[in-house]
Amino acid sequence: MEAKKAAAEKAVEYIRDGMVVGLGTGSTAYWAIQKLGTLVNNGLRITAVATSIQSEQLAKELGIPVRSIAEVDEIDVTIDGADEVDPEWNLIKGGGGALLREKIVASSSKELIIIVDESKQAQPLGSFPLPVEVVKFGCEHTQRKLSKLGCVPQLRMSDNQQPYMTDNGNYILDCHFGKIDAAKDLHIAINLIPGVVENGLFIDLATKVIVGYRDGSVREL
Ligand code: 5RP
């Protein structure tokens, strides 16, 4: 917890009055939203755009003004977590199921600050199963096509034993690749499969990576 919190609070130092801020999703982004809430209550003026219903609710509870992405032309800075980060700052995201909105928000942002603890650093990517958001219709066929790319895709389930459903009403297939050598090629190949909405590979999107450590120290890559 200390590592995630430290990285998150460091990232929030980059937020200035008047900015439009993208709010990530997950247990690391949680700490960034908490800190932003404190600063807003002390007078910081920002507008936030959330990457999930969960983060939107948290932000609103904390008194952070939230707009829909349709209401803003551009996002100044987005702060978000990741499941894996490689030395080129390519990412696997979507462990929390918010990858589609996260990618739309990230790609509409001038800056994407990624906040992680040291366990998320990976070379190559792929130990963490790659989340792929797919439409329900024909998802068994989409799953078969994905497996031909060299992975074992597994339908993500919720605690109630029903398929997990994203904020967009889709399913997630967690694709176990083991290692991913050519992330950009894989990203293109996955998104060419009919039924795939988006995958959790974030290529060339991060502009800063902040790593937090258990002793509360941080390192900006
Ligand atoms: C959610 C995400 C998260 O950023 C990712 O899963 C990391 O989560 P956490 O900060 O809880 O470790 O991509 O879709």
Side-chain angles (χ1 to χ4, degrees), residues 4 25-29 80-83 93-99 102 115 120:
K4 293 181 177 196
T25 297
S27 58
T28 318
D80 203 351
D83 300 298
K93 285 185 52 55
L99 66 116
E102 289 174 335
I115 47 177
K120 306 289 184 71

Side-chain angles (χ1 to χ4, degrees), residues 49-50 67-73 75 101 104-105 108:
V49 172
R67 299 275 173 275
S68 77
I69 190 160
E71 293 174 283
V72 302
D73 291 330
I75 296 160
R101 293 190 187 193
I104 293 170
V105 169
S108 308

Side-chain angles (χ1 to χ4, degrees), residues 145-146 149 177 182-194 196 199 201:
K145 289 180 184 116
L146 277 166
L149 297 177
F177 278 95
K184 198 169 190 170
D185 293 344
L186 182 64
H187 162 74
I188 293 167
I190 292 174
N191 282 9
L192 281 174
I193 297 174
V196 168
N199 75 80
L201 283 168

Side-chain angles (χ1 to χ4, degrees), residues 118-172:
E118 57 186 316
S119 70
K120 306 289 184 71
Q121 292 176 283
Q123 188 182 23
L125 298 175
S127 299
F128 191 91
L130 178 67
V132 179
E133 181 158 347
V134 301
V135 296
K136 288 183 203 168
F137 182 86
C139 73
E140 301 79 4
H141 294 263
T142 310
Q143 188 165 0
R144 256 177 255 142
K145 289 180 184 116
L146 277 166
S147 67
K148 289 188 182 143
L149 297 177
C151 66
V152 181
Q154 242 176 1
L155 182 65
R156 189 179 296 184
M157 302 299 283
S158 293
D159 292 341
N160 63 4
Q161 303 312 315
Q162 294 300 309
Y164 172 87
M165 207 184 293
T166 69
D167 286 351
N168 318 298
N170 297 314
Y171 289 163
I172 298 261

Side-chain angles (χ1 to χ4, degrees), residues 41-90:
N41 285 303
N42 289 331
L44 177 72
R45 286 174 299 115
I46 57 165
T47 301
V49 172
T51 55
S52 62
I53 294 169
Q54 191 188 31
S55 292
E56 180 174 346
Q57 277 169 351
L58 175 63
K60 284 181 174 167
E61 276 165 29
L62 294 169
I64 301 171
V66 182
R67 299 275 173 275
S68 77
I69 190 160
E71 293 174 283
V72 302
D73 291 330
E74 200 173 32
I75 296 160
D76 292 298
V77 180
T78 290
I79 302 174
D80 203 351
D83 300 298
E84 282 187 353
V85 185
D86 79 6
E88 280 80 48
W89 300 0
N90 296 319

